[in-house]
Amino acid sequence: MTTEMITAAASGTWQLGDRTVNRLGYGAMRTMAKGNGDPSDRDTVIAVLRRAVELGVNHIDTAAFYFSSLRSANELINTALAPYPDDLVITTKVGPGRGPAGDWLPEARPEQLRGQVEENLRQLGRDHLDVVNLRIGAGLDRGVGTLADRFGALAELREAGLIRHLGVSNVGPDHLREALAVAPVVCVQNKYSLTTAREDDPFIELCAEHGVAFVPFFAIAGGGNVSGRPSAREATDRDRAAAAAAEQVAAEHGVSPAQVRLAWTLHKGPNVLAIPGTGNLGHLEENVAAGALRLTDDDLARLDTIG
Ligand SMILES: NC(=O)c1ccc[n+]([C@@H]2O[C@H](COP(=O)([O-])OP(=O)(O)OC[C@H]3O[C@@H](n4cnc5c(N)ncnc54)[C@H](OP(=O)(O)O)[C@@H]3O)[C@@H](O)[C@H]2O)c1
């Protein structure tokens, strides 16, 4: 597939509340380091962020806790893209937190969430955040408050105008119902891919019934390594079969397995958005072009029968 002139608009659009986004977006977690762990090249990732927007990407996922000793995803986004285009939706996430040296802190209690929201506002240079996901971890079992308590704290910040829309991350259907009872939810962000366990298949439909976007992370990386081929240690027979099917379908379309993986997630429903992460310009262009890849029923059957 030639990637020239294919923009994120080819993936179609979805409404995150009152904001319209192209379904093919970008995840900023990969702006800090190269695949081998070395610090990213600052000019390169700034160029990647600018190219993403040039290619029509208007949904970028980030977090204040995406930082290394030298790089901060939010700072890079601010430097590359401010003053921000009007149509750009930046989604961030709160709940987990890290100290200045990068150590992970206990999950935020309800009264600590305002500080995390304000940290994102300062770093991104904005007066309000477009979308904030409450990222749930094991902390719910360690006395940091119920989901409703924590989501309620974010709902108050939304009422105060610091946040436009709310989402939840790393959750199941009951969490979504609990959150919806507190305030409107525009998105669910969960780990989901061709090669990870797919308990979320019916959850995608539940999200759609509520008008909620389902936003997979690790859509390319899956449960395996970045090439889309599960590492020998992690691979199950199903992973290996899915990776082989993705390679075969990719070869038939003249595209890469990563593009098939992204296209496959987008085919799971109109409410499914992609946020592939990359620090590589060529990969970015490939990923955006995947929004134009239309898989056939036969392709989908071959990829899906593995799940
Ligand atoms: N809510 C949560 O708990 C949570 C957790 C994790 C991540 N996230 C968000 O989800 C986003 C997506 O996750 P992710 O970035 O970890 O995983 P991903 O998008 O599934 O895969 C990214 C990895 O695949 C490689 N890659 C990207 N495009 C490629 C291509 N066309 N061909 C070959 N390799 C390619 C990248 O390396 P290169 O840089 O070399 O391209 C990177 O190592 C993150 O950026 C982050 O914003 C959310």
Side-chain angles (χ1 to χ4, degrees):
M1 174 192 273
T2 170
T3 57
E4 272 171 43
M5 301 306 292
I6 299 178
T7 71
S11 60
T13 59
W14 182 259
Q15 290 294 130
L16 290 172
D18 65 346
R19 308 300 309 273
T20 305
V21 293
N22 289 322
R23 293 175 64 214
L24 198 300
Y26 176 81
M29 196 178 80
R30 304 287 177 170
T31 54
M32 297 165 293
K34 297 178 184 164
N36 63 6
D38 288 347
S40 58
D41 178 72
R42 190 176 165 75
D43 291 342
T44 301
V45 289
I46 286 174
V48 166
L49 285 159
R50 290 183 176 153
R51 183 72 178 137
V53 168
E54 264 172 29
L55 289 172
V57 167
N58 56 12
H59 177 216
I60 295 182
D61 181 77
T62 186
F65 54 82
Y66 290 166
F67 68 89
S68 63
S69 52
L70 292 178
R71 306 266 182 271
S72 145
N74 280 352
E75 181 274 321
L76 289 163
I77 290 171
N78 188 338
T79 301
L81 302 178
Y84 298 107
D86 288 344
D87 70 337
L88 179 64
V89 172
I90 301 179
T91 296
T92 188
K93 58 191 83 65
V94 295
R98 294 169 70 195
D103 47 312
W104 286 99
L105 304 173
E107 272 183 75
R109 296 189 304 275
E111 67 275 17
Q112 294 174 314
L113 291 169
R114 183 177 186 118
Q116 292 194 339
V117 166
E118 289 176 351
E119 183 182 26
N120 279 281
L121 288 168
R122 282 192 299 275
Q123 292 175 351
L124 290 166
R126 304 206 89 167
D127 296 327
H128 71 270
L129 299 172
D130 300 311
V131 181
V132 175
N133 280 313
L134 176 64
R135 209 274 187 195
I136 304 302
L140 281 181
D141 301 324
R142 293 202 306 263
V144 295
T146 63
L147 183 145
D149 288 342
R150 303 167 86 209
F151 201 69
L154 291 181
E156 284 175 18
L157 299 178
R158 179 174 168 269
E159 291 295 317
L162 273 68
I163 302 172
R164 203 174 191 106
H165 297 298
L166 295 173
V168 280
S169 176
N170 205 28
V171 295
D174 287 346
H175 294 122
L176 174 62
R177 291 187 190 99
E178 193 178 346
L180 280 167
V182 175
V185 176
V186 299
C187 55
V188 162
Q189 192 178 111
N190 274 6
K191 179 174 171 177
Y192 177 83
S193 78
L194 186 61
T195 44
T196 48
R198 299 235 300 278
E199 298 89 1
D200 276 353
D201 281 348
F203 193 17
I204 293 174
E205 285 167 38
L206 179 73
C207 287
E209 281 166 27
H210 289 279
V212 172
F214 184 87
V215 188
F217 61 84
F218 296 171
I220 296 172
N225 70 15
V226 295
S227 68
R229 217 183 250 286
S231 66
R233 188 171 54 79
E234 291 174 332
T236 62
D237 287 345
R238 191 179 65 77
D239 288 334
R240 273 186 284 269
E247 279 183 22
Q248 195 188 2
V249 170
E252 288 165 12
H253 283 272
V255 299
S256 72
Q259 289 178 303
V260 169
R261 284 164 184 271
L262 287 174
W264 177 85
T265 57
L266 292 175
H267 278 76
K268 297 308 279 184
N271 62 322
V272 178
L273 310 183
I275 50 165
T278 182
N280 176 301
L281 269 174
H283 286 169
L284 170 78
E285 291 179 359
E286 226 182 85
N287 296 345
V288 170
L293 177 58
R294 303 289 176 255
L295 299 174
T296 66
D297 290 344
D298 176 60
D299 297 333
L300 293 169
R302 277 187 287 158
L303 294 164
D304 269 329
T305 46
I306 293 155

